[in-house]
Amino acid sequence: MKFTYSSGQRVLDGYTLKRGIGRGGFGEVYYAVSDGGKEVALKLVQGNNLDIELRGMAQCLNLKHPNLLTLYDLRTDSQRDHWVLMEYIAGEPLSVVLNRHPRGLPPDLARQWFLALGRAIGYLHDHGIVHRDLKPANIFLENGQIKVGDYGLCKFISSSQRTAQTQSVGTVHYMAPEISTGNYNKQVDIYAAGVVLYEMLTGRVPFDGESAGEILMKHLTSPPDLSKVPAEYAAIVGKALAKNPAHRFASMAEMVRAVEAVGADARPAAARQGPSPAPGKPPVRPELLPTVVPAVSWRGLTGELCGSLSLAAVLAGLFSILWMRVGAIGDLTEIGTGFFLTVAACWAVLVPAKFWNQRKGDAGLRRASMLVLGLLLGLGALWLDGWTFDPQDLWAGVSHDSAGSGIPVLAGYWSYFGLGFFALRWWKMADRYRPQRFSFAPILAAGFWALILLTVWPFAERPIPWGAVALVATAVIVQLVSPWEPRPRTAAKPCRLRYA
């Protein structure tokens, strides 16, 4: 590795460089000795956004924590290059320790490393600082003391600030998904800490690949394989590695408490709920407890809903065009009827399912609500077929109907769409934590009930049963546009252990 400066040079008054010891995306690090004999590390700061980085470093100068590498000063040399004077750590980094343990550290040792790491990062967060480049190479052990380094190039982000950051940060294996958007806060450190904990426990990172692009895509889309993580840590690691920042730990202190609880033979804080075991009974193993799924914020739900509604309209249009080609339909009025009816049905499912969640035992109330929405949808379908909402229509009938008066027609539309929405658990198709991203079972169920209910719909003899088509299309589209996340691993029902 070739460095800009060589041994013996005095780039700063009072310090002599001895050797280069590291290089990263933000500059080069040298081991140096002061004229008085004090060993220090000098970091040459390089980067495109130098002014921003220098402001970030200035925020860290007066931070003092036993698990943080100490920063002494910022200096400028005769060439107008900027340097950071900081504590020199002669011990080895965690990356070297992990190289000697390809299958991971013993859980107790990994816990010790993580607690020191978590407390240091929590201290940074308390002072409005985000590390942005947390990885094993920046965590050191010297004389039994664990210290986090390379935070001199952190970013100051207040607790309410979440503005776009333009510079790519971190190492690809430890990058949180939201970094790709440029909108991030302290949650990126919690995600990186989860990756480090995973690596300490298993000996490998959760996401790897042949290229940086492949690894980034896995961070964005692939769930971590928690089967390799010790059971008592699985819920903690899974929560820290959630794709949605709102689903992670609210703070590094909360994650530290969860790991502390594991070491204290208690349930992890990430999965803690309910009363403690009765005296005299063995404690319940944490992996046997259900995982609490954090709720998404109302702002996040609203954004997801807007995206789902828009995408549903697009897919309904494509579905209508496909049906027009398959059925050789040339009447654009029929196609328009099918499109608007499908969009209305999808929206009637998506809107209540998005905000009516995390409740149990309310299936009857949900079905009643879906019945009401189905009746309203029936009125909309009747209007699309020519109903003018004129009271005389009740006796004169709809213009294209030759089978009877308007009251049977109204009853037929109501009964078809009302019962169609009542018969199926539509909200399950939009559930974020449904068993599968897409399933054919609800589509077949929708098709079955759509055909059965045609027997009570007075327009079964019409050439295009758009009601049946709309119900089947809704079952397809709702699943495609609804967000999906695999539910965190839950284990079997707790059981009482018997001892001989």
Side-chain angles (χ1 to χ4, degrees):
M1 183 183 297
K2 187 180 175 84
F3 289 88
T4 304
Y5 297 96
S6 58
S7 176
Q9 289 189 265
R10 293 174 60 87
V11 292
L12 295 177
D13 291 340
Y15 295 92
T16 303
L17 301 183
K18 294 300 182 180
R19 65 178 185 275
I21 56 177
R23 173 183 290 163
F26 292 110
E28 300 174 343
V29 182
Y30 295 84
Y31 164 59
V33 177
S34 71
D35 292 346
K38 183 177 179 61
E39 295 179 326
V40 297
L42 297 180
K43 184 159 195 172
L44 173 62
V45 183
Q46 299 169 331
N48 296 326
N49 299 318
L50 190 58
D51 291 340
I52 296 176
E53 304 307 338
L54 290 175
R55 285 198 297 271
M57 286 183 285
Q59 298 287 339
C60 303
L61 282 178
N62 296 314
L63 299 181
K64 294 181 181 180
H65 191 275
N67 299 119
L68 281 178
L69 183 146
T70 303
L71 301 185
Y72 297 133
D73 200 1
L74 297 178
R75 299 279 293 274
T76 304
D77 63 18
S78 59
Q79 305 296 323
R80 307 301 300 171
D81 288 331
H82 298 276
W83 296 80
V84 184
L85 275 70
M86 53 190 177
E87 178 184 3
Y88 173 68
I89 301 293
E92 59 186 6
L94 176 58
S95 56
V96 173
V97 176
L98 289 174
N99 287 337
R100 296 198 300 267
H101 297 81
R103 295 186 179 180
L105 303 177
D108 288 344
L109 183 57
R111 176 178 175 273
Q112 294 177 31
W113 277 90
F114 181 83
L115 291 179
L117 160 67
R119 289 164 184 150
I121 299 303
Y123 179 83
L124 289 178
H125 290 176
D126 290 342
H127 287 77
I129 306 296
V130 180
H131 191 288
R132 301 195 299 165
D133 194 17
L134 195 58
K135 57 186 178 182
N138 291 336
I139 308 168
F140 303 90
L141 175 64
E142 182 182 49
N143 298 327
Q145 184 73 15
I146 297 172
K147 293 202 173 188
V148 177
D150 215 14
Y151 67 92
L153 296 167
C154 298
K155 186 145 191 95
F156 180 78
I157 300 180
S158 67
S159 58
S160 61
Q161 182 180 358
R162 194 180 178 90
T163 55
Q165 315 297 328
T166 57
Q167 184 173 358
S168 177
V169 297
T171 304
V172 66
H173 289 96
Y174 306 89
M175 279 188 180
E178 63 269 24
I179 287 181
S180 62
T181 68
N183 296 311
Y184 57 84
N185 61 8
K186 65 183 180 181
Q187 289 294 328
V188 301
D189 285 346
I190 294 177
Y191 185 91
V195 176
V196 173
L197 180 58
Y198 185 103
E199 188 175 6
M200 287 194 294
L201 293 169
T202 66
R204 58 190 301 176
V205 291
F207 305 112
D208 206 351
E210 298 295 329
S211 65
E214 180 184 353
I215 298 171
L216 288 173
M217 185 56 63
K218 289 182 178 179
H219 279 293
L220 289 168
T221 61
S222 300
D225 180 8
L226 300 179
S227 63
K228 299 180 176 62
V229 179
E232 62 271 22
Y233 286 96
I236 298 173
V237 175
K239 187 172 183 178
L241 296 183
K243 307 299 182 189
N244 190 332
H247 291 185
R248 298 175 201 151
F249 291 94
S251 66
M252 184 61 72
E254 181 184 352
M255 188 175 180
V256 167
R257 288 194 297 270
V259 175
E260 285 178 330
V262 173
D265 293 326
R267 292 179 295 172
R272 184 178 300 164
Q273 63 178 15
S276 302
K281 292 185 178 181
V284 180
R285 292 168 54 196
E287 66 269 23
L288 298 180
L289 295 171
T291 301
V292 178
V293 179
V296 184
S297 66
W298 281 90
R299 181 177 180 181
L301 288 175
T302 303
E304 288 181 352
L305 178 60
C306 292
S308 296
L309 297 181
S310 301
L311 187 55
V314 173
L315 292 179
L318 295 176
F319 198 97
S320 300
I321 295 172
L322 177 63
W323 181 252
M324 178 180 67
R325 297 297 300 271
V326 172
I329 303 169
D331 188 351
L332 293 181
T333 302
E334 295 286 357
I335 299 300
T337 298
F339 167 74
F340 287 111
L341 191 58
T342 302
V343 171
C346 290
W347 288 11
V349 174
L350 291 170
V351 173
K354 179 62 65 175
F355 297 104
W356 189 355
N357 51 25
Q358 295 184 351
R359 294 181 60 184
K360 297 182 179 180
D362 58 358
L365 184 58
R366 284 182 182 269
R367 286 188 185 274
S369 301
M370 297 308 295
L371 174 63
V372 173
L373 290 173
L375 295 177
L376 294 176
L377 185 63
L379 285 178
L382 195 59
W383 176 74
L384 289 173
D385 272 349
W387 185 276
T388 61
F389 294 97
D390 188 335
Q392 294 182 353
D393 284 343
L394 289 174
W395 310 107
V398 182
S399 59
H400 63 259
D401 175 36
S402 59
S405 67
I407 291 180
V409 172
L410 176 62
Y413 274 83
W414 269 0
S415 62
Y416 184 82
F417 288 100
L419 292 175
F421 265 51
F422 178 82
L424 297 176
R425 296 186 297 177
W426 294 95
W427 61 93
K428 293 289 187 180
M429 305 180 199
D431 188 358
R432 178 186 300 272
Y433 300 105
R434 55 193 182 274
Q436 294 175 306
R437 178 70 176 85
F438 185 84
S439 173
F440 286 99
I443 300 173
L444 295 176
F448 171 79
W449 283 106
L451 294 176
I452 292 296
L453 291 173
L454 279 178
T455 60
V456 299
W457 198 31
F459 293 112
E461 71 278 4
R462 294 187 64 201
I464 303 176
W466 271 114
V469 174
L471 291 181
V472 174
T474 299
V476 175
I477 294 172
V478 166
Q479 294 185 80
L480 292 177
V481 303
S482 297
W484 177 80
E485 292 183 19
R487 184 176 290 275
R489 184 176 64 178
T490 57
K493 181 180 179 180
C495 60
R496 185 181 301 175
L497 300 177
R498 296 182 182 273
Y499 297 92

